[in-house]
Amino acid sequence: MNYWLSLNEIKALYEEKQKYAHKCVCGHTVFIANKSGRAKCRHCHRLVFKDKETEFKYRMNRELIKERRNLE
């Protein structure tokens, strides 16, 4: 059995992995492959989002939670 990958297979795997790579503000690369669409940077511990829509939903949800806490 041959367990080694050909050069074309390695390139295909690399390109597939790059779909999930996002840059943090500090410059480090964070891989986001989960359903929530966010991950914590291992270097600076900031949240990194996969797109602006996911970030907006997360921030709005946090604000709603804060408002509910203040009302009670």
Side-chain angles (χ1 to χ4, degrees), residues 18-56 58-59:
Q18 290 303 313
K19 290 180 185 176
Y20 303 108
H22 299 279
K23 289 279 186 177
C24 180
V25 176
C26 67
H28 285 81
T29 303
V30 179
F31 292 100
I32 303 174
N34 56 15
K35 290 182 180 180
S36 65
R38 64 182 185 271
K40 188 181 277 190
C41 177
R42 291 184 178 191
H43 183 72
C44 66
H45 305 289
R46 291 182 182 151
L47 282 177
V48 180
F49 297 92
K50 69 178 182 177
D51 56 3
K52 294 287 184 184
E53 180 183 357
T54 306
E55 182 177 3
F56 178 76
Y58 176 80
R59 303 272 186 224

